[in-house]
Amino acid sequence: MPSSLLDRQIGPFSVSAIGLGCMNLSHGYLPRPDAAAAERLLLHALDSGVTFFDTAALYGFGRNEELLGRTLMHRRREFTLASKCVLAEIDGKRGIDGSPQAIVRVLEHSLRRLRVDHIDLYYMHRLDPKVPLEESLGALVRAKEEGKIGAIGLSEMSAATIRRAHSMHPIAAVQTEYSPWTRNPEIAVLDACKELGIGFVAFSPLGRGLLAGNVGSQGVADGDIRADIPRFLPPHLAHNLALYERFQALAAEAGCTAAQLSLAWLLSKGGHIVPIPGTTNIAHLDEDLAALSLDLPDRLFADVDALFPAGAAAGARYSPAAQAQTGTETWPDEVLA
């Protein structure tokens, strides 16, 4: 495994070609690791050459940032740190507030929890439809001028919004769900990012665990955020697991795992793409990083494309409430509920 992990460029940052999405160490998926296991995984990732760690104020309502703060910041110069605002805790619940006042408040809390005075890459986690983009973006530009953040990113926004934001101030990165079974960025966002020189960060690159073989016919536990996502519920789940079995067969024929094939497929889609798989398991992390050492034929990636055309996955990729907060383009006739 190369020590550089085949670095790619995200805005001004040179980062490992596979980063680490830290959400499920504190939030979202079940079961969650205890604190000691989460700390071991983060340090193992850093020791293995991962130099891009992604968190957010939303994750565990600050607990994920606290975890990174106490675990990694003694080695702060070794990695690029990304976090997010706008989508965060409001009165004990998930909510959106893109007002400048809220962005300033959330950023200050994040800096304190992370034990830093500067966050390298800071995203608007979602677009707040009640607040003009100029106002939200203006708060981030001021934070950059004050030295509190290094670059600005956007998450789950449309190509039109990305272009508009970039015309006001350079956007370093756009983060959106992207995997073989979620290909919405191919509608317009990937091309916009490539044209504008914006890095693209692919979250949930393993289909929220299903494309890694981590979801069975029983579905997921109550309390897991996927329990509200139609793709993980009957009758859609059985269809999607059948797709996974065909995907896993392609991987086995190529001598790799399904998770590795998913990551290699993503990396083949463009040099400006950096996947950030999340895991709570060190063995799975090592498996993900080993995807960088694979030499897979283009015909295999074409087979993946053929297996997962637009609309191949059954069910919506978000719950109705979460979909309402998402700006990424949808396919014609895409099911959204």
Side-chain angles (χ1 to χ4, degrees):
M1 185 73 62
S3 59
S4 67
L5 288 187
L6 305 174
D7 286 353
R8 292 191 170 195
Q9 202 71 24
I10 294 291
F13 310 110
S14 180
V15 303
S16 52
I18 292 178
L20 183 66
C22 300
M23 180 191 78
N24 56 353
L25 295 173
S26 313
H27 180 90
Y29 301 170
L30 296 175
R32 294 183 196 126
D34 61 30
E39 291 165 7
R40 284 195 298 271
L41 184 133
L42 288 170
L43 290 170
H44 182 81
L46 191 55
D47 289 340
S48 299
V50 174
T51 63
F52 190 34
F53 290 80
D54 180 275
T55 183
L58 177 70
Y59 302 159
F61 290 174
R63 290 189 299 276
N64 198 245
E65 290 179 323
E66 290 174 349
L67 169 65
L68 270 66
R70 69 173 181 267
T71 305
L72 295 181
M73 296 313 151
H74 65 293
R75 298 172 61 178
R76 180 67 187 88
R77 295 184 179 181
E78 298 180 38
F79 62 92
T80 296
L81 174 64
S83 192
K84 311 179 193 73
C85 61
V86 177
L87 187 59
E89 177 186 9
I90 300 176
D91 296 329
K93 298 180 181 180
R94 165 185 166 134
I96 285 183
D97 189 343
S99 66
Q101 298 87 343
I103 288 174
V104 169
R105 181 177 64 253
V106 170
L107 174 57
E108 291 299 327
H109 290 168
S110 292
L111 291 168
R112 174 180 52 79
R113 289 189 293 253
L114 288 163
R115 306 184 186 187
V116 297
D117 57 12
H118 177 89
I119 296 171
D120 299 312
L121 175 60
Y122 202 54
Y123 293 91
M124 288 178 58
H125 207 157
R126 294 291 190 274
L127 183 67
D128 185 346
K130 303 184 301 298
V131 179
L133 176 61
E134 293 84 353
E135 294 186 16
S136 299
L137 190 61
L140 294 177
V141 172
R142 289 189 291 275
K144 183 179 176 184
E145 292 171 345
E146 294 167 358
K148 294 180 179 180
I149 64 175
I152 296 171
L154 307 174
S155 178
E156 286 282 35
M157 297 189 194
S158 69
T161 299
I162 294 164
R163 291 180 184 279
R164 184 176 163 210
H166 193 71
S167 71
M168 302 177 207
H169 186 278
I171 300 300
V174 168
Q175 181 175 133
T176 290
E177 183 179 0
Y178 188 30
S179 72
W181 83 337
T182 298
R183 298 178 63 175
N184 299 69
E186 295 176 6
I187 300 171
V189 166
L190 281 182
D191 286 344
C193 288
K194 186 174 182 179
E195 176 191 334
L196 299 172
I198 298 172
F200 182 89
V201 178
F203 76 78
S204 296
L206 307 182
R208 300 186 183 272
L210 188 140
L211 296 183
N214 296 332
V215 178
S217 59
Q218 75 284 357
V220 298
D222 290 342
D224 188 303
I225 60 170
R226 295 169 293 182
D228 290 325
I229 295 177
R231 287 186 179 183
F232 292 89
L233 300 173
H236 308 303
L237 180 60
H239 171 91
N240 294 330
L241 287 173
L243 275 177
Y244 163 73
E245 292 298 330
R246 295 170 62 190
F247 182 64
Q248 194 277 333
L250 288 176
E253 183 179 347
C256 64
T257 67
Q260 290 170 339
L261 177 55
S262 186
L263 292 168
W265 177 87
L266 276 168
L267 291 165
S268 77
K269 290 296 181 180
H272 62 308
I273 296 172
V274 175
I276 51 167
T279 184
T280 62
N281 183 294
I282 285 176
H284 290 167
L285 174 61
D286 290 341
E287 175 189 338
D288 292 345
L289 298 180
L292 293 169
S293 300
L294 297 175
D295 183 15
L296 300 176
D298 290 343
R299 63 164 180 78
L300 179 61
F301 300 139
D303 289 342
V304 175
D305 288 336
L307 179 60
F308 290 102
R317 72 183 182 101
Y318 278 126
S319 68
Q323 180 62 45
Q325 298 173 340
T326 302
T328 308
E329 291 85 355
T330 57
W331 299 101
D333 302 321
E334 181 175 346
V335 175
L336 299 178

